[in-house]
Amino acid sequence: MSFVLGIDIGSAQSKGVILGDQGSLGSFECASGGDFKLTAEKIREELLSQAERSVDDISRTVATGYGSKLVIFADEIKSDIVCLAKGVSSLLPSVRTAIDIGDLYTKVLRTDGHGNVHSFILSGKCAGGSGRILQVIARVLQVKVDEIGELSLKSKKRVEFNTGCAVFAETEAISRLSQEVAKEDLLAGLHRALAAQINSLAERLGVEQDVAMVGGGARDIGLIRAVKEIRGHDILVPPNPHMIAALGAALIARESLTIQD
Amino acid sequence: MGDKQSTISDIVKNYYHNYGLRAKELKGEGKQFIGYACSLVPLEIITASGCIPFRVRGSVHEPITRGDTLLETIVCPYYRSIFDLSVKGKYDFLSGMVIPHGCDSMVRSFSAWSYGLPFSYFHFVNIPSVCDESSFEFFDSELGAFKKSLEKFTGKAITEEHLRQAIRVHNENRDKVRALYELRKTDPPLISGTELTMTLTAGSSLPIEESNDLFDQVLTGVKGRKNSPLKKGPRIFIDGACLDNIELIKLVEELGGNVVADTICNGARDHLPKTDVGGDSIEALSRRYLGKVNCPKTYRANKAGTFEGDIANRFGDIGTYAREFKADGAILYVYKYCDPFGFEVPARKAYYQSLNLPLLHLEDIYSAGTMGQLRTRVQAFLEMIG
């Protein structure tokens, strides 16, 4: 029996997955906080305790994500693009285009269903078009970020949002609230604006179906619906979409064990 | 590497990091340096006048603090950085500055240079935006005017013999750069992209004869190497405007890629096309700078009649280099607000697709602070093609 870890240190949230020979034995998510090294340690401890294992039982650890360099106990660092492709292909092999909604960037990649990446594109350097805007708006509306999806679905009269910029969106949201726009209509408008940005990024790369959405932003059903509407076709969402990069990292760790054997 | 090689590498590093060091020394001896910041300035005419051409650089490590009071931020960040360093006095040893119509930022900011800086000589080279026979006729006479303005500045006539001699020594320099590029053909390359860019950058701050000597020393040193400084890895082609710092190339090489060829201004675009010899010197220079230097700033009419034929004509040099240097992938590196490259991105992407060469398109703001964000993209790209 061998055990491997995949650890994804994102700019907002950090995730980890532990795999045994038969599949996943546990997963864990926490805020990345200000000390990525400490966060990585915390995730490892939590995963080991879930699987009732010790550090010595772990054969290999692969780290990914924005803070991957600070996972000092990792055997290898892999880019999140490659890990996402691996993770999504393992759960949804029919997927050819994956859209990852992260905190800092939105990423779109094309894969062959076996985890190989053909091409990819990232959103610009600012957080426009990324999941950050969802956190900003949740704070403005004083709702929890995981509630905004449901709320958005209740909208009957979507407002037109003019910006994709996370900073301007906050200003625009406040100005709409002063016009007594309902929270759900505001959220639906924001989801629509974000979906349009995500779509144009995907179109710049070229889209082949099936399409999946992953990353923390894919937990927002309001956003998923908005992207579906704009694209006019179904979007697959794997269970625990935020864990996909960590899962991919763990799968890569396991693969390199097999090769070494 | 032997002791000699490490000494040469120290010389290159010193000129690279203390950019303008030699120019300051020579100014003390009465030499006059003329600044330029674009591949489209005919350096041979400056050399023929007895002055020394000096490529001004920006700094990705230094925030723009004064330049923006005189130039709007619509100007590309690379050019703003050069301007900022200039107004802060970094290039006060220069006697003059020559700016060509290399992009909208250059043409529009010429007046800001001429009233913002203390140099005694300024000249604007009006290089045509198209490439027809009439453009060459125009450019011949424009280069004649450039020659005259330098004659007036120095008080000395520039003869045909001066021009021929300058063309000869600049062509020698290009032969040496070609020889340095040849050393990248092995796998892994015998010289790293980081070393080569540092060497060429150092050379652009020296009198052409000293640049020739420096390149000779580097050539001898690198040819004597038993091992490459790099490991085998994906062979990367860099496409873009001026990359006058090593940050991106170093990043690619740190992540396991090998930079083997380029179109960048302070690389192939400046250094590889040669000037024809034997005919009228001004005409030959006009042919080189307008016809042979392939910059997106120049509109080349679609003679093929199809999109595929057009992109093959416009970007054929990329395909030639990519095949010759056996590139596995390319990075198209474009500065924000770079008008010549910005407009060309979709056509260039289509051309790379026609070559079946994987491409990573990066847009950047000319700041070392963005290297973390570029790292994510470059790492994923190298893993994808590796």
Side-chain angles (χ1 to χ4, degrees), chain A residues 79 82 105 117-118 123 125, chain B residues 363-364 373 377 380 383-384:
Chain A
S79 73
V82 166
Y105 305 111
V117 182
H118 282 179
S123 55
K125 293 205 191 320
Chain B
E363 189 187 68
D364 199 18
Q373 292 161 328
R377 292 160 168 81
E383 285 177 17
M384 184 183 92

Side-chain angles (χ1 to χ4, degrees), chain A residues 76-173:
Chain A
E76 192 182 4
I77 290 170
K78 281 287 189 188
S79 73
D80 41 14
I81 296 286
V82 166
C83 294
L84 285 165
K86 187 62 79 183
V88 82
S89 297
S90 74
L91 297 177
L92 303 167
S94 67
V95 166
R96 294 294 172 270
T97 308
I99 302 170
D100 170 63
I101 315 293
D103 167 58
L104 269 191
Y105 305 111
T106 288
K107 305 173 181 121
V108 186
L109 64 92
R110 296 273 295 271
T111 174
D112 59 0
H114 302 288
N116 301 308
V117 182
H118 282 179
S119 54
F120 68 91
I121 190 167
L122 273 71
S123 55
K125 293 205 191 320
C126 72
S130 77
R132 173 66 58 91
I133 200 169
L134 301 171
Q135 299 185 37
V136 170
I137 211 74
R139 186 165 48 77
V140 172
L141 298 180
Q142 298 190 339
V143 294
K144 285 184 186 150
V145 72
D146 27 341
E147 289 169 2
I148 62 177
E150 289 285 353
L151 207 52
S152 164
L153 294 185
K154 289 182 187 150
S155 165
K156 300 226 164 36
K157 193 171 170 246
R158 183 178 71 211
V159 299
E160 290 304 325
F161 240 76
N162 291 324
T163 183
C165 166
V167 177
F168 289 157
E170 182 168 4
T171 321
E172 198 169 333

Side-chain angles (χ1 to χ4, degrees), chain A residues 170-188:
Chain A
E170 182 168 4
T171 321
E172 198 169 333
I174 292 166
S175 116
R176 298 299 179 128
L177 289 174
S178 73
Q179 296 160 3
E180 294 188 88
V181 164
K183 282 181 184 178
E184 56 268 30
D185 296 338
L186 190 85
L187 284 170

